[in-house]
Structure formats: C-alpha cells, structure tokens
C-alpha cells in the first residue's frame, strides 16, 4: 500500500475538483511526464510541460524522498502559473477602457496572490489510484503508469520511454540519393520507431490538395513551423528525394518506439535544400545487375576501400594526390551520399570495407545499411579501420576473431616459427612490428541452414610500394590465423577473404595466395633493398581463387592505376555464380581519375555472387 502523503501547498493555482483530483475520477486526456531513471546513475530526470507552455526539466537524486521532489515541482509550477496569470491579467487590463494600468503593473506576485483565494491546491503523485507517500524514495516512487497531479492538471508518468539521444540530418542532400538520419536511441529500437517525411511547400506553389494537407498538418502539430510542409507519403527511416524536391528543404518527424511503446516525438529540418545530383555515377550501370537480393544459396559479396576521411581531408590529398577532384567532392558529407547509394544499391549479403572512419561507421554506414537489412561489426586500426556487414535475414554472427598483425606475431604461439625466421634479420623484424595493420574475422551461420557456417576475413595490408616483404609476412600471419579459425575452432568451414592487399597480380603476395607457396629466393623478400632482405619459404594449405579475376585496375588515381583489391574464395566449398562488371574506362576517367564528383573513393568496389558447392 502507498501511504497518503501530506499535502504540498501550491499557491496561485486553481484547486482541482474532487473528480479531477483522483486518478480514478472522470476520464480526461492527460499530459505526459517523462522520467528517465537508470540504475547506474545517481540522479533521475523529470520532464513535463506547465500550463503556461514552458517546459520543465528537473534532476533529482534517486535516493531523495518524494516529498522534496514534489515541493520543488510546486515551486516551479507556481512560478509558471504566476507568469501566465500576469499575462492574462495584463491582456484583460489593456482591453478595458479607462486603463487598468495599475492592475497590470502589480506583477506576477499580485496575480498569484489574487488567485490564492480560490482554494489551497496540491501537488501529488498517484500509483494504482493511491497517493504515494512523501517518504518513498524517488527511485521507487516514479513508476511507469503513475499519475502526477499539479493543481487541476494530470500527467501520465512514463518511466524510461524510448527516446532519441541524438538525431541529425546530413548537410548535403541530393536528389536520387538516400537520406538516412543519424540517430541514437535509448530504451528503443529504430525498427519500432515511426518516421514521417515532409517537403517544404513554397507560398503559392502548392496544389490545392497539398495546401489542404499542409494546413491540416500544421493544425495537428503545435511545433510545425512556417513555411508550410506537405507529407511526402514516405514513412520509412530512409527517404530518397526526387528531382521534384530540388530547391526544397526536408523535414523529418520521428517517434521513438520499442514494440508497442512510444516515446516523445521530435522533428528536425534540413539546413540546406535538396540539391541536384551529380548526374550519372560510376556505379549506376552496375546496379542494373543487383536490383534484388540474391536467393539462397547465393551470397553476394562486396569488398571496397572507401578512402577514409582522415586521409581525404589532408592538404596533401587535395593538392598532390587528387588535385583533379573538386574540393567539395572530397568532403565527407558529400561522399557519404555516394557511398550510401552505391552500397545499398548492390543489395549485398556480405560487405567488407576498408579505410572506414569510426564516426562514418557509427553515424553513416550502420544506420543506412541497417535500414536495408544489414548489420555490421567494426575493428579500429589507428585512425580508421575495417567493417564487415552481413544480411540479417541470411546470417547470424557466431563469433569474432580479430587480430593486430604485430601483436599476434609477437605473442601468439601460432606464429612462433615465423617470428623465429623473421628474427634472423632484426631490421626487417623491427619494420614489420611497427606496422599497425589488422585482420578482421567474423564467423557467420546461415539462418536457413544452421549446419552451414562461413569464415569471413577482411584486411588492409601495408601500403608502401617498397613494402612487399612486409605484406608477405602479414599475409602469412593472416592465413595461419584464418586456418586456426576455419579448421580448429570451426572444422571445415569455407573461407571468404576480402581486402585491399596493396599487391598487383605480378607480386609475390598474389603468387603466394593463389599457388600456396613462395620460395625464399623470391625478389619481393628484398623489396626495400638488400639490407632488409629476409629470405624464407612460406606455404599454406588453402585452395584459394580470386573470385573477380585480375581486373586491369581496382585503384585509379592520377599517378597510378592497378589491381590491388581481391575477394579470395575457398574453392573446396564455394564457386562464382557471376561477377558484377566494373565501371568502363570511360566512366572511370570522365573526371580524369578517382575520386570524383561521381565516385566517392580512389578504389572501385568488387562485387560478385558466390554459391555454395
């Protein structure tokens, strides 16, 4: 039983009638009081709107007795009501002939005192139709479904409802490119949330039906700003503007949800109007081959170096590496539009990405790809990292086995023999152990057939043109680690190994991967001169093939073009169903080289459909 608390006096607010004072009284619409109470935090927050339209946000200790919180609410409500009463009295005074200036000048205090005679109102909290005692602690008092009464106004308490902690639209919005808001949710799920998109309506430009819709929308929402807005009809998280939206701003109204429970709605408007797109992009023709998600047993796989923002935004990149690229086309806000459209248009089951900024993963890729049915994991390197996404309807993530090459080589017994060979040349060993490259491994299980599992590896090897022997060592470590996962931890599961290997088909690394061995006298062991030569023979037991063959190039910049990226597959269990054609040379060089206004990276995505044997 909740003990009836003593009354908390609230001067200046009209007393509630008997029916309105108890939750079980006459039925009436209630306002909302939102309580956020997390066990790991010392305070809870309380948010509600007063009768004068002001919004109150309070922080109270969870261990504080309820009576103190109610007293504070009473003080806040009294101030708000006094202001409202003073404003009302002022309006009445101005309306009287002969001047009620003295009454208007009396101020909020006089207005509050003037209403005190109406009775002695209360602030109370009810739970299950019983008043909650003042000595009950806040953490226990503010239960979901309780009713807070301030004077004659009732508030339904919602404890920890779904809520947005972050909500933001991208700065660049272009016709034909999907717009996905950056959002973070607490106590909620994006899939259960409600989204409604609106477009700006220019004065005099709307059709009669549109004007009526905009007016109805404005009437139904007090927060709807001017100019008017018309519904687009899109009620999904992702909205793709059309050419008709060019020059107009967008607005998103979203309500956070969790199952059948919903939290306070929020609205946000785009800062800039929708712009025209860049025209035909390098990936538009490729999307003709990937209009639908593949049926089982096919696995559409993508490998793509996105060009990390941390590299694209340097002065060296703008003036030396990519001087031919328009500066705005190197900005992340612009490139994200292209990246999101390209990746979502492939309808892939697996996407392995390199050079992924942490913020890009969390704020752009996760929400955009999640809206299209994919889930992702991330592995940081230093300033950027690797990301692997998988289609949730086809796969579940069983485990992850990521490593740093330098750490694994230096401490994992799996690589003891390799480290001993490398130690014969201390200078080469030092160079190898200075590199920060990482390997990401995800073991996935088929949702349709749990007996089918797959080992998906993703990496970005050392980049320097003279680093051939370092890449060989890194690849040796990678293959030993992958074999441990695919043969020892999960015996017999097939392997898909994607990445930017920074090695052309003529290099020792490619020969090593495809043929299973490399001799100690291969020229790549001296790739950085005789001083760092570290001759050794290496072997591996996989039977691997480049699923997309050996394209003329997967990287095309002003001073270099060549094939550096591959999707290696396990020939014992997988075969290639189709390879999605790369852009034509004319498309790649339309703007001289990559990146460009129509292509977001200096690399080209590899896309192929694989099939279980």
């Amino acid at each position: 039983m909740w003990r009836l608390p003593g009354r908390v006096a609230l001067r200046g607010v009209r007393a509630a009638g008997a029916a309105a004072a108890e939750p079980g009284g006459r039925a009436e619409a209630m306002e909302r009081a939102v309580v956020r109470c997390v066990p790991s935090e010392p305070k809870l927050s309380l948010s509600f709107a007063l009768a004068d339209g002001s919004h109150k946000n309070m922080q109270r200790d969870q261990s504080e007795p309820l009576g103190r919180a109610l007293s504070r609410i009473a003080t806040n409500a009294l101030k708000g009501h006094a202001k409202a009463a003073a404003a009302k009295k002022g309006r009445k005074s101005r309306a009287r002939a002969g001047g009620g200036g003295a009454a208007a000048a009396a101020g909020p205090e006089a207005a509050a005192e003037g209403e005190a005679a109406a009775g002695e109102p209360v602030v109370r909290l009810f739970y299950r139709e019983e008043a909650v005692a003042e000595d009950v602690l806040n953490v226990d008092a503010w239960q979901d479904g309780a009713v807070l009464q301030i004077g004659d106004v009732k508030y339904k308490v919602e404890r920890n409802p779904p809520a947005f902690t972050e909500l933001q639209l991208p700065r660049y919005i272009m016709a034909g490119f999907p717009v996905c808001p950056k959002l973070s949710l607490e106590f909620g799920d994006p899939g259960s949330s409600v989204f409604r998109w609106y477009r700006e309506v220019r004065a005099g430009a709307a059709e009669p039906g549109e004007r009526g819709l905009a007016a109805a929308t404005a009437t139904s929402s007090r927060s709807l700003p001017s100019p008017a807005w018309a519904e687009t009809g899109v009620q999904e998280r992702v909205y793709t503007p059309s050419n008709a939206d060019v020059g107009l701003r967008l607005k998103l109204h979203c309500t956070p949800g969790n199952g059948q429970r919903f939290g306070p709605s929020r609205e946000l408007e785009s800062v800039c109007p929708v712009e025209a797109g860049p025209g035909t992009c390098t990936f538009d023709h490729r999307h003709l081959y990937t209009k639908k998600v593949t049926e089982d047993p096919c696995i559409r796989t993508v490998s793509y170096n996105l060009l990390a923002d941390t590299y694209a935004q340097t002065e060296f990149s703008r003036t030396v590496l990519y001087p031919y690229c328009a500066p705005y086309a190197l900005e992340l806000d612009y490139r994200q539009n292209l990246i999101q459209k390209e990746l979502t248009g492939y309808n892939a089951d697996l996407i392995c990405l390199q050079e992924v900024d942490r913020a890009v993963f969390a704020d752009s890729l996760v929400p955009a790809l999640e809206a299209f049915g994919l889930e992702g994991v991330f592995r940081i390197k230093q300033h950027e990292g690797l990301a692997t996404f998988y289609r949730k309807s086809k796969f579940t993530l069983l485990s992850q086995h990521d490593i740093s090459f330098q750490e694994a080589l230096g401490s994992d017994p799996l690589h003891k023999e390799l480290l001993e060979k490398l130690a014969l040349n201390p200078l080469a060993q030092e160079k190898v152990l200075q590199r920060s490259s990482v390997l990401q491994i995800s073991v996935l299980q088929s949702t349709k057939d749990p007996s089918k599992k797959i080992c998906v590896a993703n990496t970005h090897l050392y980049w320097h043109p003279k680093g051939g022997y370092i890449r060989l060592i890194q690849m040796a470590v990678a293959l030993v680690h992958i074999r441990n996962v695919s043969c020892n931890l999960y015996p017999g599961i097939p392997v898909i190994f994607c990445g930017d290997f920074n090695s052309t088909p003529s290099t020792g690394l490619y020969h090593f991967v495809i043929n299973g061995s490399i001799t100690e006298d291969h020229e790549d062991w001296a790739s950085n001169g005789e001083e760092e030569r570290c001759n050794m023979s290496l072997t591996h037991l996989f039977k691997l093939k480049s699923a997309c063959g050996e394209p003329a190039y997967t990287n095309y910049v002003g001073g270099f073009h060549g094939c550096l990226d591959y999707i290696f597959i396990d020939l014992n269990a997988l075969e290639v169903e189709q390879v999605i054609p790369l852009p034509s040379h004319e498309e790649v060089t339309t703007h001289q080289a990559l990146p460009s206004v129509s292509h977001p990276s200096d690399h080209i995505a590899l896309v192929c459909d694989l099939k279980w044997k």
Side-chain angles (χ1 to χ4, degrees):
M1 293 289 293
W2 296 98
R3 294 187 302 284
L4 186 67
R7 293 194 167 198
V8 180
L10 174 61
R11 295 177 58 83
V13 181
R14 182 168 55 84
E22 300 296 332
R26 62 181 172 83
E28 59 179 299
M30 280 191 282
E31 298 286 344
R32 164 185 264 168
V34 176
V35 173
R36 181 182 179 279
C37 185
V38 180
S40 60
E41 298 177 8
K43 293 182 180 291
L44 61 75
S45 63
L46 174 63
S47 176
F48 56 93
L50 290 173
D52 67 340
S54 63
H55 202 88
K56 295 298 177 185
N57 293 291
M58 301 173 60
Q59 295 279 331
R60 309 301 299 179
D61 287 335
Q62 293 193 29
S63 58
E64 173 191 64
L66 172 65
R68 293 184 187 174
L70 295 182
S71 295
R72 186 63 182 171
I73 292 171
T75 301
N76 285 331
L78 176 59
K79 292 177 181 177
H81 184 78
K83 290 180 182 178
K88 181 178 180 181
K89 193 163 186 176
R91 287 193 297 271
K92 287 182 178 179
S93 298
R94 287 191 295 273
R96 292 194 196 102
E109 291 79 6
E113 292 294 335
E115 296 231 350
E120 184 142 297
V122 295
V123 173
R124 292 185 291 185
L125 183 68
F126 293 89
Y127 186 63
R128 294 177 180 170
E129 301 189 358
E130 293 187 37
V132 183
E134 283 188 309
D135 58 355
V136 175
L137 303 183
N138 280 329
V139 66
D140 299 316
W142 298 96
Q143 296 295 317
D144 194 54
V147 174
L148 171 66
Q149 182 179 331
I150 304 176
D152 56 358
V153 180
K154 290 180 180 178
Y155 300 81
K156 181 181 179 182
V157 173
E158 297 183 19
R159 179 167 169 145
N160 294 342
F164 292 112
T165 56
E166 186 173 22
L167 193 61
Q168 186 178 330
L169 288 175
R171 187 160 60 96
Y172 278 105
I173 298 179
M174 297 190 294
F177 290 76
V179 181
C180 187
K182 170 186 174 182
L183 62 82
S184 298
L185 267 173
E186 191 173 47
F187 316 120
D189 167 35
S192 300
S193 301
V194 178
F195 302 90
R196 281 192 175 85
W197 290 89
Y198 297 80
R199 67 166 61 88
E200 197 174 19
V201 177
R202 290 198 186 98
E207 295 297 322
E210 290 178 329
R211 282 198 297 271
L213 178 58
T217 305
T219 303
S220 66
S221 176
R222 288 176 294 178
S223 61
L224 211 59
S226 181
W229 300 89
E231 286 200 53
T232 63
V234 175
Q235 298 185 13
E236 305 289 341
R237 180 175 177 179
V238 176
Y239 175 66
T240 303
S242 67
N243 288 332
D245 295 327
V246 172
L248 304 176
R249 290 187 304 131
L250 301 178
K251 185 178 73 169
L252 175 62
H253 181 281
C254 32
T255 305
N258 187 357
Q260 297 300 310
R261 193 177 186 214
F262 296 94
S265 299
R266 286 181 59 183
E267 289 183 345
L268 65 161
E269 301 170 11
S270 61
V271 176
C272 300
V274 176
E275 300 179 9
T280 303
C281 291
T282 54
F283 44 80
D284 287 339
H285 182 71
R286 308 185 79 191
H287 286 171
L288 298 178
Y289 296 85
T290 60
K291 288 184 176 180
K292 296 181 180 179
V293 176
T294 61
E295 300 289 337
D296 285 332
C298 280
I299 306 169
R300 180 166 296 145
T301 304
V302 175
S303 183
Y304 197 6
N305 180 322
L306 295 184
L307 176 57
D309 184 56
T310 190
Y311 305 141
Q313 285 301 306
T314 64
E315 186 65 23
F316 184 73
S317 292
R318 288 190 290 267
T319 59
V320 179
L321 290 181
Y322 320 120
Y324 47 82
C325 183
Y328 73 86
L330 285 175
E331 291 184 22
L332 181 60
D333 281 346
Y334 179 87
R335 292 199 302 122
Q336 281 185 148
N337 280 281
L338 275 66
I339 291 169
Q340 289 178 1
K341 182 177 183 180
E342 179 172 8
L343 290 179
T344 56
Y346 290 138
N347 285 303
D349 302 310
L350 294 175
I351 301 178
C352 291
L353 304 173
Q354 304 86 41
E355 286 198 26
V356 181
D357 301 273
R358 186 192 294 274
V360 169
F361 175 80
D363 301 338
S364 174
L365 295 174
V366 167
L369 295 176
E370 186 179 73
F372 287 85
L374 293 107
E375 192 164 295
V377 289
F378 180 72
R379 167 69 194 218
I380 192 68
K381 186 171 67 174
Q382 275 186 327
H383 307 295
E384 38 83 9
L386 306 168
T388 298
F389 287 86
Y390 56 91
R391 185 164 296 281
K392 291 186 287 185
S393 63
K394 287 191 175 184
F395 296 104
T396 55
L397 179 65
L398 286 186
S399 58
Q400 294 173 256
H401 306 273
D402 305 346
I403 60 167
S404 158
F405 288 123
Q406 62 181 107
E407 292 176 5
L409 183 59
S411 60
D412 193 326
L414 283 172
H415 312 294
K416 182 175 181 290
E417 182 181 346
L418 180 60
L419 183 61
E420 288 174 349
K421 291 180 180 179
L422 184 60
L424 297 175
N425 187 325
L427 182 58
Q429 179 180 351
E430 180 185 2
K431 289 288 185 68
V432 171
L433 295 178
Q434 285 175 349
R435 307 277 70 85
S436 60
S437 306
V438 295
L439 172 71
Q440 183 182 44
I441 293 183
S442 308
V443 176
L444 304 176
Q445 182 177 46
S446 169
T447 57
K448 305 292 192 299
D449 182 356
S451 67
K452 287 185 176 180
K453 302 177 182 67
I454 196 160
C455 176
V456 181
N458 182 21
T459 196
H460 184 189
L461 299 186
Y462 181 50
W463 65 272
H464 199 283
K466 294 184 177 181
Y469 80 88
I470 295 176
R471 288 187 286 275
L472 276 169
I473 298 295
Q474 290 179 338
M475 179 57 82
V477 173
L479 291 172
V480 168
H481 191 67
I482 293 169
R483 184 163 185 82
N484 182 55
V485 173
S486 64
C487 293
N488 298 334
L489 302 182
Y490 296 91
I493 69 171
V495 171
I496 299 176
F497 190 6
C498 300
D500 175 358
F501 297 88
N502 274 309
S503 305
T504 63
S506 65
T507 59
L509 181 135
Y510 186 80
H511 183 276
F512 173 46
V513 172
I514 298 301
N515 296 300
S517 64
I518 187 170
T519 60
E520 63 180 18
D521 60 351
H522 194 283
E523 61 183 9
D524 280 8
W525 290 119
S527 60
N528 200 35
E530 290 298 321
E531 191 178 26
E532 292 178 28
R533 178 185 286 273
C534 51
N535 292 354
M536 64 181 81
S537 61
L538 298 174
T539 60
H540 69 80
L541 299 177
F542 288 109
K543 190 177 180 183
L544 298 174
K545 170 187 175 179
S546 173
C548 298
E550 301 170 6
Y553 51 79
T554 61
N555 175 246
Y556 198 103
V557 294
F560 170 84
H561 63 271
C563 180
L564 304 178
D565 306 84
Y566 306 94
I567 298 174
F568 294 118
I569 61 169
D570 189 339
L571 285 176
N572 290 323
L574 299 168
E575 60 185 352
V576 180
E577 179 75 4
Q578 73 163 336
V579 176
I580 307 307
L582 272 67
S584 68
H585 185 68
E586 289 72 25
E587 289 174 314
V588 171
T589 57
T590 296
H591 302 281
Q592 187 174 334
L594 307 179
S596 70
V597 295
S598 61
H599 191 87
S601 175
D602 54 350
H603 285 252
I604 300 169
L606 294 176
V607 188
C608 61
D609 291 351
L610 307 175
K611 189 168 67 174
W612 300 86
K613 281 188 174 179

